[in-house]
Each structure stands twice: as structure tokens, then as C-alpha cells.
Amino acid sequence: MSTLNKPHPLEFLIGTWAGKGRGFYPTIPSFDFFEEVTFVKDPAGRPVVAYTQKTRRAIQQGAEGEAQLVPGPPLHAESGFIRLPGWSNEKCELILSQPTGVASVEVGKIDGTTVDWTTTGVVRSPSAKPPHVTQFTRTWVVDPVNKTFSYKFSMATENTPLQPHLEVDLRKVETAA
């Protein structure tokens, strides 16, 4: 069987997901945000998935009492690739870069439609702003029936031990065929 016809272990992630999240950390005020995440299979059929994530701060719009949260200015972005060494159905690698000058490698464990990630390395450019991030963990959970993708992201810095930072709930963006 050619790799173009091979079942993809991360098929459940493929597509675009959008929704809202909440951020919190002991050193900053809590915040709401909107997020869009896209996963694209490699067109050549290799065991790689391209990943992009864009976040916009949620801002209040409208008259008091009728105000609603709407997407505001850009807040964060990251992009990279998920690698599936040997087309593994159990293990994967997430290689990411951020415009903040941070790049990371995370190793994941696939269990059904859940992927648990842990960093194996974080590097940063000389101008990356302190306190420097030292570790990430993330858990991605897809519910294919309800077409939802949720995740929890934890972070450690030089000054703060690993603890929860983000909780996000996204829905699959349907595209016209």
C-alpha cells in the first residue's frame, strides 16, 4: 500500500478548529481569547502533519448590558509540524516555533483521539523576553462525534513551577465541498 492510501494515525485532528479559551497564570491577570488551529496532512503522503495556531485577545463590544466578546488584536501564534516516526499509532513529535523567539520539541503519546504532550527541549533566541519558559505539557482531546477539540496547556518558567495556563474548547470548522 502506498503511503498516500495508508490510514493516518492523526486523521481525527485534520482540518480547522475554532473557538474560545481562557488563560490564567499566577504572574498575569486572567484573560479570554479566540483561537483557530489548523492541521494539514502532508500532500506527499509522508508521516507529517503541518500545524498552525493563531490566537486573538477577546474584547468587549457593544453597549453595557448587551456587550459580547469578539476577537480583538492578535495575542499569540505558533506553527510547526507533527512527526509520526515510522507511522506510529502511539508516539509522535511536535516541533514548534513562536514569534516570541521560543522553539520547542514535544513528545506525544496517542491514545485513541487523545494526545498527551511533554517537552523534551526548549530553546530561545537571545532577545526572547524573560522569565524564560522551561517546560510545557498539553493534552489534546478530540470528540469526533460532536466535532469538538479541547485542550489544556500547562507551563513552567524560570520563576514559576509547572502549572495550568490555558483551557480551550474548539469546534470543527466545516468547509463547503
Side-chain angles (χ1 to χ4, degrees):
M1 168 180 347
S2 91
T3 57
L4 288 172
N5 298 324
K6 189 175 186 85
H8 202 289
L10 296 176
E11 188 66 41
F12 62 92
L13 285 173
I14 303 305
T16 298
W17 306 81
K20 295 180 187 174
R22 179 113 180 108
F24 35 86
Y25 207 65
T27 58
I28 60 172
S30 294
F31 58 97
D32 294 307
F33 59 92
F34 288 84
E35 180 164 302
E36 182 176 285
V37 176
T38 301
F39 300 93
V40 178
K41 287 191 282 190
D42 181 73
R46 294 172 293 204
V48 174
V49 173
Y51 164 85
T52 58
Q53 179 264 10
K54 295 182 240 172
T55 301
R56 300 181 76 84
R57 183 171 298 281
I59 59 171
Q60 293 276 342
Q61 186 177 57
E64 195 167 325
E66 296 177 17
Q68 60 182 355
L69 290 177
V70 297
L75 187 61
H76 177 77
E78 56 190 30
S79 63
F81 297 91
I82 302 170
R83 300 178 67 239
L84 294 152
W87 279 101
S88 175
N89 288 319
E90 299 172 1
K91 296 179 182 177
C92 48
E93 302 166 345
L94 179 61
I95 294 83
L96 292 178
S97 62
Q98 303 174 19
T100 58
V102 174
S104 63
V105 175
E106 300 170 46
V107 173
K109 181 180 182 299
I110 304 167
D111 182 10
T113 59
T114 298
V115 185
D116 286 304
W117 299 99
T118 303
T119 45
T120 59
V122 177
V123 295
R124 59 194 160 270
S125 68
S127 63
K129 182 175 90 173
H132 297 125
V133 173
T134 58
Q135 181 183 8
F136 305 123
T137 63
R138 42 181 116 210
T139 299
W140 292 349
V141 179
V142 172
D143 177 344
V145 173
N146 293 307
K147 298 182 180 180
T148 60
F149 170 37
S150 60
Y151 73 84
K152 293 183 179 187
F153 177 86
S154 295
M155 178 175 75
T157 71
E158 296 166 320
N159 301 337
T160 309
L162 184 69
Q163 56 195 288
H165 178 42
L166 305 171
E167 291 182 0
V168 181
D169 293 303
L170 309 173
R171 295 196 66 75
K172 185 92 175 235
V173 175
E174 300 298 331
T175 56

